[in-house]
Amino acid sequence: MADDEGLPDFDVPVGLFQDLEDLKATVAHLSSQIQQLTSGVGDDGDDDAADGDEPEDEEEQFPPFILLLDPPQYDDELRLLIEWVEGVLVPGYLAEPSSDARWCHVWFEHPVAVARLHAVWLAWQELTDPATCGYTGPSTWHRDHLDPCLRELRPSTGPFAGCTKSEHQVAHRLPSIVPSAWSHSED
């Protein structure tokens, strides 16, 4: 070490240099990803945002609300929702239906129920994952999503008001045709 006079002589393990190089590569990769995400530029240098192209995996990351889907995507999403409602929600949260707490065994034919339960299911998927929401997620899901949904669906004035154990009525809550002030029929 004739060239490094005045510097202390340290014994540095060989693995430390490899670890340092791995960390540098990881930081460079993460910095590149952050730059791509904030600027909209892909790995190939094309500006996806300028072309109007959406990222391909964005649809998978953020599932659309069920009422915005058309068949066959609607049918696929409804099938998954039915599995969750019948497998998790009904056995775990819905006691025997009564006049004060109604439930329809063909709830999936009630658009209001499908919309509300799909929203609750989307929230459940996010808030029961400790990696994304911590350990308080399930509590938040109960308080902010499940309880308000059940308060809207299960009262005697809710969408299942005309349904009983032996009878199912979807049309009981549909509004009648409202005459429009803008259209005039000729007499």
Side-chain angles (χ1 to χ4, degrees):
M1 286 196 129
D3 295 334
D4 295 331
E5 286 186 32
L7 294 177
D9 188 20
F10 291 111
D11 289 329
V12 179
V14 175
L16 182 64
F17 289 114
Q18 292 170 343
D19 291 342
L20 186 58
E21 292 304 312
D22 287 344
L23 287 173
K24 285 180 186 178
T26 301
V27 169
H29 177 71
L30 291 173
S31 297
S32 171
Q33 283 183 329
I34 290 171
Q35 184 179 9
Q36 289 172 8
L37 291 172
T38 57
S39 69
V41 176
D43 288 334
D44 55 0
D46 292 340
D47 188 354
D48 293 335
D51 296 336
D53 294 336
E54 299 269 337
E56 291 176 349
D57 61 333
E58 189 170 319
E59 185 176 332
E60 294 174 30
Q61 248 182 348
F62 305 104
F65 186 54
I66 194 166
L67 296 184
L68 301 176
L69 298 174
D70 292 319
Q73 291 85 11
Y74 176 88
D75 299 331
D76 294 341
E77 191 74 3
L78 182 60
R79 218 172 281 112
L80 293 170
L81 176 62
I82 289 171
E83 287 179 18
W84 178 77
V85 169
E86 300 297 328
V88 175
L89 194 66
V90 170
Y93 294 96
L94 302 179
E96 184 68 25
S98 67
S99 61
D100 294 334
R102 295 176 180 264
W103 183 253
C104 181
H105 66 284
V106 283
W107 58 268
F108 44 84
E109 292 184 8
H110 295 267
V112 171
V114 169
R116 288 187 178 278
L117 291 169
H118 188 259
V120 167
W121 178 49
L122 291 177
W124 180 81
Q125 291 177 65
E126 180 178 338
L127 293 172
T128 57
D129 181 7
T132 60
C133 62
Y135 294 109
T136 60
S139 175
T140 302
W141 177 75
H142 283 92
R143 182 195 68 213
D144 294 346
H145 301 280
L146 178 66
D147 294 344
C149 176
L150 295 181
R151 280 194 297 269
E152 292 293 323
L153 291 179
R154 299 199 71 193
S156 59
T157 58
F160 307 139
C163 301
T164 62
K165 285 184 183 181
S166 60
E167 187 178 339
H168 166 70
Q169 296 177 351
V170 174
H172 62 274
R173 300 280 292 167
L174 295 178
S176 60
I177 297 175
V178 178
S180 173
W182 297 104
S183 64
H184 300 285
S185 61
E186 307 235 354
D187 292 328

